[in-house]
Amino acid sequence: MHNSPLGFIALLCAVFLIFTAGCTAGTGTNAAESVPTTPGVSTAPGTVVDFQNETDINAFLSRFDTYAETSRENAQVPGMAVAVVKDGKVIFMKEYGTKTAGGNDPVTNDTVFQIGSTSKAFTAALVAMEVDSGRMNWSDPMVKYVPDFKMSDPWVTKEYTITDSMAQRSGLAAYWGMDLATFGLDRDDMIHALRYAEPVSSFRSSFMYQNVPFVATGAAIEKTSGKSWEDNIQERIFTPLNMTGASSTYAAFRDAPDHVTLYRYGVLSNNTTGAIPIDPDWAFNNVSYEFGPAGGINANINDMATWTIFQLGNGSYNGQQLISPGGMAYMHTPRTPMGDTMTSQKNYYCQAWIYTEQEGTPDVVWHNGETLGGHAAVLLVPSKNLGIVVLANEAGGTALPDGLAFAFYRQAFGLPNPDVCAIVQAQADKSDERLLADQPVRPAHPAEPLSSEKYTGNYSNEIYGKAVVAEQAGNQTLTFGKKPVTFVLSPWDGNTFASTCPQWGPDYNGRVKFSTGSDGSVTGLTTTLILDKEYSRDATFVRA
C-alpha cells in the first residue's frame, strides 16, 4: 500500500537508459559496464528460455534460485518466498531465510506475509464480479453507491466513476491521505475527507497514485453486494480459489500459526541501517487494514501462486467461472498513461494493475505493494501464460520483490542488464546515505519561544479534528487523532519546536510551528505528519 510503483518504474527506466547509453555513447566506454551487478551475473543479453523444454526450464530455474538467495542475502531481507507459474501450474516454489531475523525458524510455503497494494487487484476483481452480476457497471458514478463521496469540485464528484476510482487519475496529489489511518480515521472518515483534498492536476489528465479512492470502491462493493469488503473477499475469492492461508485483518495475521515477523527498514542503534522488528502490539499495526481495499490482505506463497494462475486465466478456476473473460480483460486494459520516458518502454495504469509495454519481448502486467512491515510483487506475462510472485517481510529497504520479479523477466527473455536486484540495491545504498546524513542542527542562537501557557489549548483541523497542546510530565505535547497520537515538543527556534513521537518510534523527527496574529497571540499551528512527511505534507490546525 505504502510503496508506489512510481519509484520502481523510474528505476526500470534507468535500466533501459543505461543500456541505450552503452550502445550510443561516443566516448568509447560502454556505459552498461558501470551498471551494478551481482558477482557471476552478466550485464549482456542472454538466451531466451524455452519454456516448452523441461531441461531448459530446470536449468534456468536453478540459476534463478541461486540468484534469488544471493540477492536476498545482499539486501539483508530476513525472509522471502517466490513462486513461478506457467500454463496453469506451479513450476517453481521456494522459500528463503527465516521468519525472524537471526532466528532458526525457516519460511515455509504456509508462512503468511502482508501483500500491501497487490490487494488492490482483489478489490478490482470484486468489482468485476459485481459488474457480471448486473448490480454495478464500470461506468457508474461513485456517488450512486457512496452518497458521502465528494471531491472538492462538484463536477468531478458527479463524473467520477468506478473505473476512475481504480485508474489512478483523480487529480489529487500522489499518495494523498497516507496518514488518515495513522491517526485513527476509519474508512467512512477517509471517504469524507476526500472533499478537503485540493487537486494538483485536472481530473483524468495524469497519473497520481492513490489509496483512498480504492477505499471508496470497497464501500461501493459493500453497497451493491450487501456484505462487507472482508466477507466478499473471503467468500468470493479466498474460498473458491482455496486460498486457505489468506485473510484481511491484523488479528488474523497475528494469530496465524505460521507468519513472519514484520520489519521496517531504518537506522539502527549503532548508526547503521537495517531491518527493525515491529512489535506485534505496536499502535500502528492496523494502518494497512484500515485501508483494506487498497492494501489489507495477508497471504502465503501457495495462496498467491493460485491467485497468479487465476489472473492469467479466463476467469475460471476448477471449472467455476468466477469472473467473465470480458471482466478479466477489462482489469488488465491500459487506462492512464504513467508519464513519458526516454525509452521504448511505456507504462499504463489499468484497474489495480500496471501494463508495461516492451519492445521485442512480451508485454507485462504487474503491481507491487508495501505495508509498514512487508513488501510484495506480482508480475504476469499474459501472452506466455507465465507469472511470478515474490513476498518479503521488510518494508522501506531495497524493494527486493520488485527487483527480483523484473530480474526474472529480463533473464527469462534474454534482455540486457538482467541483474535488476543489484541496480535496486545500489539505489538503496544511496538512500542509506540520506538516512544516515546528519540531522538538522538547531540554530546556534535560537529565538526564545513564548511562555508555554501561550501555546496550550485546543486547535482544530477539518480532517483530523481536535488537537490539544498541553503540559505532560514536564514536557509540552501535541496530541490529536481519533486514536490519539502524542508528539513531545522541545524548543527549536522561536515559535518552531522539534517534535518526537514515542508511540511511533525513535526514527520520527518532526517540526511544529505555531503561528501568531498581529497582537502576538497564538492563532494556529502546522505540524509535520508521519507517513505524509515523505511527501512534504503537513497538517495545519487553527486555534479553537
Side-chain angles (χ1 to χ4, degrees):
M1 182 192 74
H2 302 290
N3 176 269
S4 161
L6 284 172
F8 192 72
I9 285 174
L11 212 62
L12 285 177
C13 293
V15 173
F16 281 92
L17 286 170
I18 288 168
F19 179 62
T20 302
C23 294
T24 60
T27 61
T29 301
N30 188 335
E33 292 176 358
S34 65
V35 176
T37 60
T38 301
V41 179
S42 171
T43 62
T47 57
V48 178
V49 176
D50 181 359
F51 280 97
Q52 305 305 316
N53 183 310
E54 186 173 350
T55 300
D56 207 14
I57 293 173
N58 291 338
F60 168 69
L61 291 176
S62 177
R63 294 192 302 271
F64 184 74
D65 179 21
T66 301
Y67 175 79
E69 175 59 4
T70 300
S71 298
R72 184 194 67 82
E73 291 175 347
N74 290 343
Q76 300 180 53
V77 169
M80 181 177 76
V82 179
V84 177
V85 304
K86 179 77 172 78
D87 297 331
K89 297 178 180 179
V90 177
I91 63 170
F92 177 85
M93 184 177 287
K94 185 73 178 286
E95 300 77 43
Y96 305 85
T98 54
K99 298 165 194 172
T100 302
N104 56 11
D105 192 8
V107 175
T108 74
N109 57 9
D110 291 321
T111 301
V112 176
F113 293 77
Q114 294 178 332
I115 70 166
S117 284
T118 61
S119 304
K120 288 179 168 69
F122 289 76
T123 298
L126 289 178
V127 170
M129 292 175 181
E130 286 299 285
V131 171
D132 286 343
S133 75
R135 292 188 292 261
M136 180 184 287
N137 289 307
W138 297 101
S139 59
D140 283 344
M142 181 64 72
V143 291
K144 179 177 180 180
Y145 307 113
V146 188
D148 196 43
F149 178 86
K150 183 178 180 182
M151 304 294 277
S152 63
D153 184 324
W155 182 85
V156 174
T157 300
K158 180 170 63 76
E159 295 296 320
Y160 201 101
T161 67
I162 298 296
T163 292
D164 291 323
S165 72
M166 297 188 292
Q168 306 290 20
R169 57 192 188 188
S170 66
L172 301 184
Y175 283 97
W176 182 86
M178 286 296 293
D179 269 316
L180 297 177
T182 311
F183 293 95
L185 277 70
D186 62 24
R187 293 176 196 169
D188 288 343
D189 297 325
M190 294 179 192
I191 294 168
H192 188 82
L194 280 168
R195 67 196 63 202
Y196 303 119
E198 292 298 325
V200 296
S201 68
S202 299
F203 178 48
R204 295 177 181 153
S205 69
S206 60
F207 168 83
M208 294 284 179
Y209 192 79
Q210 301 292 335
N211 290 304
V212 180
F214 276 85
V215 174
T217 306
I221 293 165
E222 292 179 339
K223 176 68 173 179
T224 57
S225 68
K227 296 182 178 181
S228 70
W229 175 81
E230 286 83 358
D231 285 346
N232 271 289
I233 287 288
Q234 180 64 54
E235 295 172 14
R236 303 170 77 179
I237 297 180
F238 295 166
T239 297
L241 293 185
N242 198 31
M243 296 175 64
T244 57
S247 59
S248 56
T249 67
Y250 178 67
F253 173 83
R254 182 191 57 212
D255 295 342
D258 189 350
H259 70 274
V260 292
T261 297
L262 302 175
Y263 290 87
R264 291 190 293 148
Y265 190 83
V267 180
L268 304 175
S269 58
N270 61 356
N271 204 38
T272 61
T273 57
I276 302 171
I278 293 176
D279 189 320
D281 295 322
W282 191 41
F284 304 98
N285 279 329
N286 204 49
V287 164
S288 295
Y289 304 95
E290 289 294 349
F291 280 101
I297 289 177
N298 317 303
N300 61 42
I301 195 65
N302 278 323
D303 300 325
M304 292 304 290
T306 301
W307 171 248
T308 304
I309 289 170
F310 175 70
Q311 283 293 323
L312 286 164
N314 64 357
S316 65
Y317 186 78
N318 280 347
Q320 183 180 2
Q321 193 73 40
L322 301 179
I323 299 174
S324 66
M328 296 297 291
Y330 195 92
M331 289 187 288
H332 298 164
T333 298
R335 303 287 163 192
T336 308
M338 296 177 68
D340 295 328
T341 69
M342 296 170 60
T343 73
S344 59
Q345 183 190 57
K346 301 295 182 183
N347 298 287
Y348 307 88
Y349 207 84
C350 307
Q351 296 284 275
W353 290 96
I354 297 164
Y355 190 102
T356 298
E357 290 183 353
Q358 305 285 352
E359 186 171 305
T361 53
D363 295 347
V364 299
V365 176
W366 65 282
H367 210 287
N368 61 1
E370 186 168 279
T371 66
L372 294 176
H375 199 107
V378 181
L379 184 148
L380 315 174
V381 190
S383 67
K384 300 297 182 181
N385 204 359
L386 174 69
I388 180 171
V389 57
V390 186
L391 309 176
N393 64 332
E394 181 185 284
T398 64
L400 175 64
D402 305 3
L404 200 56
F406 274 90
F408 171 86
Y409 175 83
R410 298 186 73 79
Q411 291 171 26
F413 292 96
L415 292 169
N417 299 319
D419 191 2
V420 183
C421 289
I423 299 170
V424 172
Q425 184 64 52
Q427 292 297 315
D429 292 342
K430 292 180 181 178
S431 297
D432 284 356
E433 295 173 8
R434 292 193 292 271
L435 281 174
L436 295 171
D438 293 335
Q439 296 295 320
V441 177
R442 190 183 181 197
H445 304 286
E448 288 294 320
L450 302 175
S451 57
S452 60
E453 67 271 12
K454 301 289 187 181
Y455 301 110
T456 59
N458 298 332
Y459 299 75
S460 66
N461 174 277
E462 56 195 1
I463 293 176
Y464 295 104
K466 178 182 176 181
V468 178
V469 176
E471 292 283 336
Q472 296 183 29
N475 294 309
Q476 196 156 40
T477 60
L478 166 65
T479 302
F480 66 95
K482 289 184 71 174
K483 293 180 180 177
V485 178
T486 296
F487 299 86
V488 178
L489 311 185
S490 58
W492 182 263
D493 186 15
N495 288 325
T496 299
F497 290 72
S499 62
T500 58
C501 184
Q503 288 165 271
W504 181 265
D507 56 338
Y508 175 83
N509 292 284
R511 296 288 182 271
V512 175
K513 184 175 183 178
F514 292 90
S515 54
T516 57
S518 57
D519 61 354
S521 63
V522 175
T523 58
L525 67 86
T526 297
T527 179
T528 307
L529 293 171
I530 297 180
L531 297 174
D532 273 311
K533 180 182 177 184
E534 183 177 345
Y535 310 100
S536 301
R537 282 196 291 268
D538 303 327
T540 296
F541 293 75
V542 297
R543 194 83 183 247

